[in-house]
Amino acid sequence: MKYKSNYKINLLLAAIVLFLLLICYLSVTRQIKADNEVQQQEQAAEQQMEEQFINMSEEHATDSVQ
C-alpha cells in the first residue's frame, strides 16, 4: 500500500516539474521573441529617420541651387 502512495506522489511531483520546465521554456522564448521585435522596430525607426534626413537634405540642396 505504501508503494502505491509513493508512486502517486512521485508521478505528481514529476508532472509538476515538467509543468514548471514548460513555463520556464515559454517565458524564455517569449522574451527572445520580444527582444527580436524591439530590435526590428528600432531598425525600422532608424531607416525612417535616415530617409527623412536624406529627403530633407535633398530638398535643401535643390532650394539652394534654384
Side-chain angles (χ1 to χ4, degrees):
M1 184 76 174
K2 190 174 185 180
Y3 175 73
K4 288 183 181 180
S5 177
N6 285 342
Y7 181 72
K8 289 179 183 178
I9 291 173
N10 287 340
L11 280 178
L12 178 63
L13 291 175
I16 291 171
V17 167
L18 290 175
F19 178 71
L20 291 174
L21 286 173
L22 177 65
I23 290 174
C24 290
Y25 173 77
L26 292 175
S27 68
V28 169
T29 55
R30 286 182 185 167
Q31 185 62 43
I32 291 172
K33 184 177 178 181
D35 289 345
N36 288 340
E37 289 177 5
V38 167
Q39 187 178 14
Q40 288 175 350
Q41 289 175 353
E42 288 175 350
Q43 288 176 348
E46 287 177 8
Q47 281 182 333
Q48 188 176 17
M49 289 172 55
E50 287 175 2
E51 289 173 3
Q52 288 177 352
F53 180 75
I54 290 171
N55 289 340
M56 287 174 42
S57 298
E58 289 174 353
E59 288 175 7
H60 288 293
T62 56
D63 288 344
S64 63
V65 172
Q66 294 176 355

